[in-house]
Amino acid sequence: MHLMNEFSHANHPALPAHANQWLGLQQECAPAGHWDEMRGALTVAGDSSLNGPDETPKPPATLSSAWLSFAAQQDMATLPPKGAADGPHAVADTHDLNTRMLNLQRQVRDNGITYNVYAAADQPQRPWSLDLFPLMLDQADWQQIESGVLQRMQLLERIMADAYGPQQLVLKGQLPAALVQGHPAYLPAMQGVPPVGGRYLSLAAFDLARGADGCWWLLSQRTQAPSGLGYLLENRQIVSRLFPRAFEAFPVQRLAETYRTLIDGIKARSPAGAGAHIALLTPGPYNETYFEHAYLARYLGLSLVQGNDLTVRDEKLYLKTLQGLQPVHGLLKRVDDDWLDPLELRADSTLGVPGLLQAVRSGHVLVANTPGSGFLESNALLGFMPALARDLLGQALQLPAIPSWWCGEAAALQDVLPRIQGCVIKPTYPYNTDRQSFEPVLGHSLSRQAQNEWAGRILRDPDAHTLQSWLPLSHQPTWQTDAQGQACIQSRPVVLRVFAVTDAQGGWQVLPGGLARLGTREGIASMQRGGSSADVWVQKASSGPTQSQSQSQSQSQSQSQSQSQSQSQSSPMPWRPAPAPVAPRDLSAMDTQADVSALQRQRLVTSRAAENLFWMGRYTERTENTLRLVRLSLEILGSENQNLPCLLNFITRMATRHGLVRAGVPAATQAHRVFERSLIAGLWDRELATSVGFNLRSVRLAAAAVRERLSPEHWRLLEQAETRFFKPVGTEVSWVAPDTVATQSLLADTSQMLAALTGAQTDRMSRDDGWRLLSIGRHIERLTFLSHALSEAVHLGLMAEQAGFDAVLDLFDSTISFHAQYQQSRTPQALMDLLVTHSDNPRSLGWVAHTLRSRLLRMGNLADGATLALAQQVPQMIDLPPESLWPPETHDRAGRPRPPCTLALPLDAVLAHCQTAAHEVSDQLCALFFTHSGQARYSVGA
């Protein structure tokens, strides 16, 4: 019936002009035997080529109902010539769609949306791939998907409850033990443990594809750590803005309610109830979907944490923060189960938390999903689901799955092995190193010899192999540029991922949308292999929103669950899952809802985030300082003062001290051109851990670890600064450094971007304790650098030379301020006033020390007031008279004592105190906040 409805558009001989326009843009439809999403029809043999010399009948000039609605809302720039609309080759102006595609790509870059393949620190971020057109699902499509997914979610919950409970399915022979207890993802440590909150599964993803019959089929299911929830939300925000009229006219169901349902459900079922502290556990910034982790944490209001941010004490999970250990009641994990607990699972894991499983077993923390759900992802399980649905639910499956045969069954192996050419060979235990795993293989793409070789491999280890029927995937229209550079509509295979979440009452709700993944014409490419994505539009039901339907379905599911539970009570089963959420427990004196709410009002700063913010500030300031030093050095080497010994000695000593030239490079006084070339080459030195490039890259790496705290503009500025700076290097192994003029221009541009970055850090970040540590890091670095630079300048006698005097002002970025306040009064005392004791100059050592001290005092509520004592170590210079630092009657302009005075310049002691205090504050801050070294009472029972 669904197929006939889609073909009914062919009965209309005259289509609207806008429909013919869009047909004219379609260079190719779906291949023969595949469903065409744009035309709403099956392409038959000989029809896939639209523009080639093909004498066979062409496909009907039709659009699906969804695409007719979509096309009617678009304002194309020009219409085809009169009479051309009746032909299949009518071409509309593509300028409008090209403009929208450019806006889409710009928005992806501006939002910083990335998807990396095992991202390396020395490689740029890869932008997320998103197509212009959405995948549109009408009410009939969505009704089949939604009802089928809800039913399968219920079935998965029942299977997992049995697997970790009575295990009747295995005992009765309805499931092979090799697919449950024999699956590497099954966790015996969780056997017999009732789920916290009454549900094992809080979130699941289902990969679907439309077959040649026009119906949707299940390909696979993901329960451990399904990805896509963040990317699909970004897809929606971008595409809906590009086609606002079509979005409203369709009309499209909204997504936000389901996200609230997910978090409200986790909170309601967690031990602390609605006031629970929920965190999102991420593997870290090197994970390919880390952008999504940071985005979801920011959107959902969760703490983004890594394994080393958490600790287990007394069977309870805590977050290590600047405020001390704070309880965590719920964990939305994006880490596979194997890596969750190095004590009981993989001992080499650095991504998990020692003792986490014991905290889960004790009922003190809800983990979504409950560890041990990985066996549900096996492709082999799909073949057993129809019988399980009839036995456990008393229903036939509404959403069919692609036919699957587990080769571990002798009968299935004998039946399917002769038909290997028409199947897809998949691993029974994917993504696992303990059992044989491999990438799926298309049987029809193998030669006869290769098919025989695969048959031999299957016979040698049948349990590790599952065969599935090959499904011709439907094709989605995409906006592409062909080999001739012409933009047009081309079709690509599409797989739809939809998500189901658990609500506060324990029912399930399907997100009214999803993530459409696009591949090449030959087959689906995973996102790791260059695939693309599309937004998914689900049409609103005319009778009312889908939410009411979901609620009624949840109620009926609850009734059926109550019936099944009453049946289980009368059976001899010794164990059954708890049907109701676990009541809140008294975790500690601070685990009340009022205390938790107070903590949520005060943004928590994890120790890891604090450390990265601290070093982000230090590396930003260090980059600015070393870049300014290089710019000053190049100016001196190209000026009329290039032979002034004190200046050459100064830049040599400063460049050597800060690692801007390699050891063994001749001093500027010996060969200043060699020194200049070494200084330029060192800017991009990948092995020199103190180069400007290294420092700039370190800023980005530290920022990546706290990306959820940065605005998209802040992150984009970081990426642009790094990309532009490293552009002269490219990817070549051997390269020639740019000349001095080009280098100075690049350094000037980078300096401007760093100034903008400083503004973003100063005015665009919340001024919590994390920001204060960032500011402290910057001021520690500035105090160290400037006090050392001034000390070197004094000892080398720069104040006695006008060029040296100007160089010091330049390095302190205070030239304009000096001339405005002191005009031509070039005395050491005037310099001391501006650069050491001034209260309004942000480059003054006195101002820097005063700001550093105030930041430390503001953090006096942390660590039992330890920062208050640290603040006292920072010298106070604002109230010092300049003459007390450089007495004119006892010391000359070069800083030498006048006879009979033999004492050192008083300034020397102040500058030494600045450097000592900066190092001491840095070391003690690290000990106070970045490691919790106090006595720990770990409770990690077996």
Side-chain angles (χ1 to χ4, degrees):
M1 185 64 66
H2 177 71
L3 186 61
M4 294 299 296
N5 288 339
E6 294 288 357
F7 273 118
S8 63
H9 297 296
N11 298 327
H12 299 280
L15 285 174
H18 59 260
N20 283 296
Q21 251 185 318
W22 285 83
L23 289 174
L25 291 174
Q26 189 179 24
Q27 187 183 84
E28 58 185 18
C29 64
H34 295 253
W35 188 269
D36 193 313
E37 295 289 345
M38 181 174 179
R39 294 170 179 258
L42 179 70
T43 304
V44 297
D47 292 346
S48 60
S49 176
L50 296 180
N51 298 332
D54 188 2
E55 297 180 358
T56 58
K58 304 302 179 188
T62 180
L63 291 178
S64 68
S65 59
W67 269 89
L68 279 172
S69 172
F70 182 83
Q73 302 301 322
Q74 307 311 317
D75 293 327
M76 302 297 284
T78 60
L79 291 174
K82 184 177 181 180
D86 296 332
H89 299 288
V91 179
D93 190 353
T94 62
H95 175 73
D96 179 73
L97 294 177
N98 282 334
T99 300
R100 299 189 197 212
M101 190 65 187
L102 290 174
N103 288 336
L104 181 149
Q105 294 170 345
R106 177 187 56 79
Q107 193 65 52
V108 168
R109 291 193 303 270
D110 289 351
N111 291 359
I113 313 174
T114 57
Y115 184 93
N116 300 313
V117 184
Y118 302 110
D122 58 346
Q123 294 181 358
Q125 304 279 306
R126 190 176 80 177
W128 175 250
S129 182
L130 173 61
D131 191 69
L132 187 62
F133 301 131
L135 172 65
M136 292 175 282
L137 304 175
D138 59 22
Q139 297 176 26
D141 284 330
W142 186 245
Q143 184 176 4
Q144 179 206 3
I145 292 172
E146 184 181 36
S147 59
V149 166
L150 286 172
Q151 185 189 44
R152 284 186 174 271
M153 189 73 173
Q154 183 182 5
L155 182 57
L156 291 177
E157 177 74 23
R158 297 290 297 276
I159 293 173
M160 190 164 176
D162 179 82
Y164 288 99
Q167 301 185 344
Q168 291 295 305
L169 297 178
V170 174
L171 293 175
K172 294 179 179 179
Q174 295 173 284
L175 269 181
L179 298 183
V180 185
Q181 293 91 341
H183 197 292
Y186 180 84
L187 301 182
M190 299 301 295
Q191 172 62 37
V193 179
V196 179
R199 284 284 178 259
Y200 286 95
L201 302 177
S202 299
L203 170 69
F206 299 85
D207 291 331
L208 313 175
R210 196 197 296 268
D213 58 355
C215 295
W216 290 92
W217 294 74
L218 176 68
L219 300 180
S220 62
Q221 52 209 14
R222 295 287 178 264
T223 54
Q224 282 200 85
S227 62
L229 277 175
Y231 289 114
L232 74 87
L233 198 58
E234 277 282 12
N235 288 357
R236 169 61 55 85
Q237 292 178 350
I238 293 175
V239 175
S240 62
R241 293 168 183 168
L242 295 174
F243 301 103
R245 290 173 52 189
F247 185 84
E248 292 298 329
F250 192 54
V252 182
Q253 293 192 41
R254 267 46 175 190
L255 304 175
E257 180 62 31
T258 306
Y259 288 87
R260 287 194 292 269
T261 298
L262 171 63
I263 299 305
D264 291 345
I266 293 177
K267 287 184 175 181
R269 293 179 292 111
S270 69
H277 176 205
I278 311 298
L280 191 152
L281 178 62
T282 173
Y286 292 113
N287 183 265
E288 67 268 18
T289 59
Y290 180 72
F291 164 81
E292 180 178 69
H293 306 169
Y295 179 82
L296 278 178
R298 185 166 55 238
Y299 180 77
L300 300 175
L302 308 181
S303 299
L304 184 64
V305 301
Q306 297 181 29
N308 56 8
D309 292 330
L310 302 169
T311 183
V312 174
R313 308 278 176 95
D314 299 326
E315 298 183 344
K316 300 166 189 174
L317 185 65
Y318 291 93
L319 178 63
K320 295 182 286 188
T321 74
L322 294 180
Q323 294 83 4
L325 298 181
Q326 306 295 341
V328 176
H329 311 101
L331 206 58
L332 181 61
K333 67 181 179 68
R334 295 303 302 271
V335 176
D336 286 344
D337 294 344
D338 281 352
W339 307 90
L340 285 178
D341 189 340
L343 285 182
E344 300 191 48
L345 301 174
R346 291 190 57 145
D348 61 339
S349 172
T350 60
L351 306 178
V353 187
L356 179 60
L357 288 190
Q358 179 61 24
V360 175
R361 286 194 293 262
S362 301
H364 291 154
V365 60
L366 184 153
V367 176
N369 287 324
T370 303
S373 66
F375 76 96
L376 296 174
E377 298 184 351
S378 175
N379 298 305
L381 198 63
L382 297 180
F384 297 90
M385 298 289 271
L388 292 174
R390 289 191 296 269
D391 183 71
L392 297 177
L393 305 180
Q395 304 170 0
L397 288 174
Q398 301 178 46
L399 180 64
I402 186 171
S404 304
W405 295 268
W406 177 52
C407 295
E409 281 190 319
L413 177 63
Q414 185 178 3
D415 175 48
V416 74
L417 200 57
R419 297 184 280 113
I420 192 174
Q421 182 178 1
C423 294
V424 181
I425 308 170
K426 293 186 176 181
T428 301
Y429 312 108
Y431 320 117
N432 197 279
T433 56
D434 295 337
R435 298 296 299 267
Q436 184 177 357
S437 185
F438 51 88
E439 291 294 324
V441 178
L442 298 177
H444 64 260
S445 66
L446 301 175
S447 64
R448 179 59 61 86
Q449 180 181 356
Q451 291 177 20
N452 292 335
E453 292 175 355
W454 271 101
R457 291 179 58 179
I458 294 173
L459 289 172
R460 288 190 295 272
D461 189 6
D463 287 9
H465 296 81
T466 297
L467 268 61
Q468 293 183 328
S469 292
W470 178 74
L471 181 71
L473 304 175
S474 68
H475 276 233
Q476 161 77 1
T478 64
W479 191 244
Q480 304 283 341
T481 302
D482 60 20
Q484 289 73 36
Q486 184 69 32
C488 60
I489 295 177
Q490 298 181 8
S491 69
R492 294 291 182 267
V494 59
V495 167
L496 169 64
R497 171 167 288 189
V498 297
F499 296 84
V501 303
T502 307
D503 60 25
Q505 291 73 39
W508 290 281
Q509 188 178 114
V510 181
L511 180 84
L515 179 67
R517 293 179 293 162
L518 309 174
T520 62
R521 277 186 60 88
E522 292 74 20
I524 280 294
S526 64
M527 300 305 295
Q528 293 94 333
R529 297 192 173 190
S532 186
S533 69
D535 189 18
V536 178
W537 290 6
V538 174
Q539 190 176 36
K540 285 184 180 178
S542 57
S543 58
T546 307
Q547 299 295 331
S548 61
Q549 299 175 359
S550 299
Q551 291 173 0
S552 63
Q553 291 168 344
S554 297
Q555 292 173 359
S556 64
Q557 290 170 1
S558 299
Q559 294 173 0
S560 63
Q561 290 166 6
S562 299
Q563 295 173 359
S564 64
Q565 289 164 2
S566 63
Q567 294 172 0
S568 65
Q569 289 177 359
S570 61
S571 67
M573 293 182 183
W575 180 96
R576 60 188 176 88
V582 175
R585 292 169 170 82
D586 184 15
L587 297 184
S588 67
M590 63 184 307
D591 287 346
T592 63
Q593 292 192 12
D595 289 328
V596 173
S597 299
L599 288 174
Q600 290 177 338
R601 288 194 299 269
Q602 179 185 11
R603 186 177 187 180
L604 297 177
V605 183
T606 67
S607 299
R608 176 189 54 82
E611 185 172 13
N612 280 286
L613 287 168
F614 176 76
W615 284 103
M616 179 182 170
R618 291 201 65 167
Y619 278 121
T620 303
E621 186 69 26
R622 190 176 297 178
T623 304
E624 284 192 8
N625 293 335
T626 52
L627 188 144
R628 188 177 296 108
L629 176 59
V630 173
R631 293 183 67 187
L632 174 64
S633 301
L634 293 179
E635 290 176 4
I636 290 173
L637 292 172
S639 69
E640 60 183 8
N641 300 307
Q642 59 181 280
N643 294 319
L644 194 62
C646 64
L647 276 179
L648 297 180
N649 286 328
F650 177 71
I651 62 175
T652 299
R653 291 172 64 91
M654 289 293 294
T656 303
R657 163 69 181 266
H658 294 282
L660 299 178
V661 293
R662 285 181 172 269
V665 172
T669 53
Q670 298 174 343
H672 63 267
R673 293 308 169 198
V674 175
F675 182 84
E676 180 183 52
R677 289 195 297 270
S678 299
L679 196 62
I680 293 175
L683 290 171
W684 301 276
D685 197 322
R686 298 179 185 272
E687 299 178 2
L688 202 61
T690 50
S691 67
V692 174
F694 180 90
N695 290 330
L696 183 59
R697 180 156 290 168
S698 297
V699 176
R700 198 257 302 166
L701 291 176
V706 290
R707 187 169 176 180
E708 75 280 7
R709 288 177 158 265
L710 308 181
S711 66
E713 295 80 8
H714 194 162
W715 178 256
R716 185 166 66 252
L717 190 61
L718 277 167
E719 287 195 314
Q720 289 176 353
E722 182 186 14
T723 301
R724 292 183 186 179
F725 184 80
F726 281 97
K727 189 175 182 180
V729 181
T731 58
E732 300 179 6
V733 177
S734 58
W735 63 283
V736 178
D739 58 30
T740 303
V741 175
T743 300
Q744 288 176 319
S745 176
L746 175 63
L747 294 179
D749 292 342
T750 306
S751 181
Q752 290 180 358
M753 300 197 73
L754 286 174
L757 185 60
T758 297
Q761 292 179 0
T762 303
D763 296 331
R764 298 296 181 90
M765 296 180 68
S766 299
R767 299 203 170 192
D768 57 6
D769 290 328
W771 176 86
R772 291 186 187 94
L773 278 170
L774 182 148
S775 178
I776 288 172
R778 292 203 64 150
H779 288 91
I780 286 176
E781 197 69 33
R782 186 178 301 179
L783 188 63
T784 303
F785 179 86
L786 293 181
S787 60
H788 171 260
L790 187 56
S791 177
E792 290 286 353
V794 171
H795 291 159
L796 292 173
L798 263 65
M799 308 310 171
E801 300 286 346
Q802 179 174 339
F805 199 98
D806 293 339
V808 174
L809 287 174
D810 194 357
L811 193 59
F812 272 71
D813 195 18
S814 299
T815 301
I816 296 178
S817 299
F818 184 85
H819 290 311
Q821 296 184 44
Y822 305 97
Q823 297 183 359
Q824 295 301 317
S825 177
R826 296 179 178 274
T827 65
Q829 291 71 35
L831 199 68
M832 294 302 100
D833 183 41
L834 182 64
L835 302 187
V836 180
T837 65
H838 208 286
S839 60
D840 296 325
N841 179 15
R843 311 299 295 183
S844 160
L845 294 177
W847 187 94
V848 174
H850 175 77
T851 306
L852 176 58
R853 191 184 309 106
S854 66
R855 300 281 188 266
L856 293 170
L857 292 173
R858 185 67 184 274
M859 296 177 66
N861 61 312
L862 304 176
D864 297 326
T867 59
L868 300 178
L870 283 180
Q872 301 307 315
Q873 299 182 29
V874 181
Q876 299 186 24
M877 293 170 279
I878 288 181
D879 297 331
L880 294 176
E883 292 78 9
S884 66
L885 300 175
W886 196 304
E889 64 279 0
T890 58
H891 292 78
D892 60 17
R893 290 180 58 87
R896 296 185 295 265
R898 302 179 188 273
C901 179
T902 59
L903 298 176
L905 194 66
L907 175 66
D908 293 340
V910 174
L911 298 179
H913 187 186
C914 288
Q915 298 181 59
T916 302
H919 292 304
E920 192 67 25
V921 169
S922 177
D923 291 343
Q924 293 193 37
L925 283 175
C926 292
L928 281 173
F929 298 123
F930 306 153
T931 60
H932 285 250
S933 55
Q935 184 178 3
R937 301 193 335 269
Y938 284 88
S939 179
V940 289

